[in-house]
Amino acid sequence: MCAGEENWVDNRTIYVGHREPPSGTEAYIPQRYPDNRIVSSKYTFWNFVPKNLFEQFRRIANFYFLIIFLVQLIIDTPTSPVTSGLPLFFVITVTAIKQGYEDWLRHKADNAMNQCPVHFIQHGKLVRKQSRKLRVGDIVMVKEDETFPCDLIFLSSNRGDGTCFVTTASLDGESSHKTYYAVQDTKAFHNEQDIDALNATIECEQPQPDLYKFAGRINVYHDRNEPIARPLGSENLLLRGATLKNTERIFGVAIYTGMETKMALNYQSKSQKRSAVEKSMNVFLIVYLCILISKAVINTTLKYVWQSDPFRDEPWYNQKTESERKRNLILRAFTDFLAFMVLFNYIIPVSMYVTVEMQKFLGSYFLTWDEEMFDEDTGEGPLVNTSDLNEELGQVEYVFTDKTGTLTENNMEFIECCIEGHVYIPHVICNGQILHDCTGIDMIDSSPGGSGKEREELFFRALCLCHTVQVKEDDNIDGLKKAQLSGRSCVYISSSPDEVALVEGIQRLGYTYLRLKDNFMEILNPKNDIERFELLEMLSFDSVRRRMSVIVRSVAGDIFLFCKGADSSIFPRVTEGKIDQIRSRVERNAVEGLRTLCVAYKKFTRKEYDSVCKLLQNAKLALHDREKKLAEAYEQIEKDLILLGATAVEDQLQEKAADTIEALQKAGIKVWVLTGDKMETAAATCYACKLFRRNTQLLELTTKKIEEQSLHDVLFDLSKTVLKHSGSLTRDNFSGLSTDMQDYGLIIDGAALSLIMKPREDGSSGNYRERFLEICRNCSAVLCCRMAPLQKAQIVKLIKLSKEHPITLAIGDGANDVSMILEAHVGIGITGKEGRQAARNSDYAIPKFKHLKKMLLVHGHFYYVRISELVQYFFYKNVCFIFPQFLYQFFCGFSQQPLYDTAYLTLYNISFTSLPILLYSLMEQHVSTEMLKREPSLYRDIAKNALLRWRVFIYWTFLGLFDAVVFFFGAYFLFDNTTVTSNGQMFGNWTFGTLVFTVLVFTVTLKLALDTHYWTWINHFVIWGSLLFYIIFSLLWGGIIWPFLNYQRMYYVFMQMLSSGPAWLGIILLITVSLLPDVLKKVLCRQLWPTATERTQIMSRDCQDHTSEFTPLASLKNPRYRSNDCSNFPARRSNSHSKKRMFTHWRGNDYSILPSIFGYSNNRCNSSARYCYSGSGLETSV
């Protein structure tokens, strides 16, 4: 039995090169695996029609109209089946064509991928065949700059040390070169014959989508001896889609092919998110369905009441047949009910769904085309992964943001290191000049001697050896940081910017990391001697342990473990060293907003190392629970350490991060920062980006507090503190910009959150959560530090499911943010330096945090206003359309006689009224873009689904009912005068219906024209073009005898109506009367109770100058804070003026005293500066 053998069922055995193992070793069981075809398409030629129809009819509205269409076919209904069938056919066809075209593109891409040529080994020779014909077990050769055709176990490369370099940009966006390692026993096989002679089997887990996890082992057979088992991990697995770099060629064996590759498993879509507007739309649809059923029931009942009089039921001119008399009453009533349902079914707008879908799809392009959101540095703009949530961007109440890489640049600079209490910096600032090459300057006292010197050297060696940095001696690397080091061009590459900053910083202190060659790490010491250390083991970093270690052997034979990690994970594991001095320096650096890491070491005897090696080997060979066993092994190894020192790295604040947060808070959005960093570091960043202000009272809910008091007491005290002011601080007043109320900020850490979320035996967990939420609601900002990725998602879920059900948005740039991005209503990824996992899993991706401001306050605002109007308008125009039909039944004996002609019934929603609202919902700007950016508070006007509340919905419905009554009875009273034509002829029922329909089409189109604030030539063309199309169509429809029609009831009707002077007058009068109440209501409300948006519209009309993008002085109630533009200069130690910034408080106002370099001093404006910096928030134009 091999080491690490378990009862592992869910695995697969792969025979390398399809060679059977030596007889007598193990049974040969051939297994069937899929071929290497990638299928990302949804349909085939044969199943497209049935599958697409099935998916479309799962939509309630489509299914409803299908039922109505079938009823029209089966029973004798008042309207032709065409009236329901044609709109339904139009909607189904448009959607099917869109989905079919998208799938055809996927088929095309699949075929191109599946027919790529691949080199594989057969009988010791290289053979070329198509990628789709590749099978599990085939040995493949991949050349430089080629992509891997499937998931391969790396067997050997042309490099002597058995390594290769790979970029995984197409998988996770990381452009850095990652190192992969060949299997120890096969790395010496460099040609086809050697590889073909390999006799080995691979046991590994079944396919799973995690790109960064893999567990397996390879058994290599030599003759009939027992096989040699070697562990396989993610460092041996080359993934499909990744590209080979800086390596001439590699050999690998296929283990996962086709749809079982990790890349294909990641194709699977995320859970569907639904917007608040869509939910409102469905609720309104149910209301209208109830109205429809009520109408049908009322009409059916009244029909039988009407027919209770025998003369009405069976007049002399229309006698019933014998079979009609004997027909069952209930069956007759049910048939009539269905007939009325068919007659009134147009109140349900079937075309609304397709219009909403087109609006979302086309509207998303406005975001991707926005040049202001394009980032010059990265050459990237915003990305829309799903257009279903566009309007949700206008409803956000909580923003959960990561810190590193989101609020900060993730551009690290080494600032200092502290060894044994002595501080070293790579250069000294003297009178504003940077003095280079001042290595090892001690800033506290004299340099250490004796054992201190030895610890100093160990510290520098630890930082040179404990990392995953690669050295690339090549200038031609795209997008990578280059540095002229030691007179030669040298590039350090790592997936973590922290590591590159540390290695470069230590280089400036005299120790240079040269390379890793043949498993030996080489460093250049200050004496220009090259030191070599054999890399024995690497204990990789993970977000749970928050540390990494290496075990190395020096030339003298000493074995060291060097460990670096977060102070919270290192301090509990150290037993000696100057812990107090280093801890105080770490805390001081954290308060200044620097990222800190601690470094420790441990020396092994040969015996200790052997036991460690055995422990690790057993954990690595495990197929089942390998990660858990490795974590346990690491925990045992990384203990009893000796503390060496700590490092401090600075991460600059992102451009306009403070401006963005301030704007979001003014918009009534609460901003929470969720980070894995130390509390002090995170708090310093929060102050820098204006999340916390100078008058913010910080409340702590941390492990330290809970150790002093019980969790219950801490929560009770905090609750008591914030609720004292709850009378004045409401949920709608979150900007935290006024002084008449206390501003609170809460800081919570991961351990405290675990206690709050943990279910307790007495069931009091719910109370803790409620108390915690109550505290959070009354705080203007919350900082959650020391958060694990899963805890970030827990926080988002906790707020999302609280009783107010607020709309949440999560934004982050790294893999650790994916869980919260998927959990939030809207997930936004930043295409940053930590790869693209966040961007790939998000609903939207933006280049920088500053772009969030325009995305929410402008695009989100417009998206929501436009789609709200679209939904309400659709219901309104359908009420106007069908309610006259209902009223008409009272005048035609409930005989189900249609008021409108079949053509009008069919084309009303498809042609006559569809384009104007679609264009409105794409182009409308009720307020200018500049005004929305300048006045973030306008976002509050649309918060909490304000435009789709019941009050607004009922107003639109009653407006539709009023207009319908005006259309019908206006035309009815006009017809009382029988001499409406010049020749004395009377109008018939079709002329009456056409008159009502003409007023209807003009009224609903002109209503939209009155609502339009932003006119373009396209709006003019579509609105007036739709009306013109209706007139031309009606003239043609009634002016020609159409041979395909079995009736000619509309012949000459429209022309006859237009030939009547009273009809013209009636049309104009009825349109005016219909539109008047809505116009009066708007004028009165705007004058008496204007909203903030309406006040802004009036102001923007009065003031035509839109060049300034600064907050008007009048809108700032309480000027207290310094302008943001000035604070955007990163506070870095290398800036001579960075520390010369002072704040003072006098007579209730904060004043900033800044150096004269900015063109002003103290608080007096320089005439050339154009801005006064005693203002609040956004810059104030003077």
Side-chain angles (χ1 to χ4, degrees), residues 401 407 656-666 669 671 673 689-691 693 849:
T401 172
L407 292 178
K656 293 189 179 174
D659 175 35
T660 305
I661 285 179
E662 193 166 34
L664 294 178
Q665 288 183 326
K666 284 184 176 180
I669 298 170
V671 182
V673 174
C689 66
K690 295 191 179 177
L691 183 72
R693 298 175 179 276
F849 181 76

Side-chain angles (χ1 to χ4, degrees), residues 471-475 482-492 507 511-515 522-524 528 530:
V471 180
K472 171 70 178 167
E473 299 199 15
D474 184 1
D475 288 332
K482 299 191 179 94
Q484 293 291 333
L485 303 169
S486 305
R488 64 194 179 102
S489 177
C490 185
V491 180
Y492 289 128
Q507 186 175 38
Y511 283 80
T512 305
Y513 172 60
L514 297 177
R515 61 180 172 174
E522 296 180 1
I523 58 177
L524 186 72
N528 280 335
I530 292 177

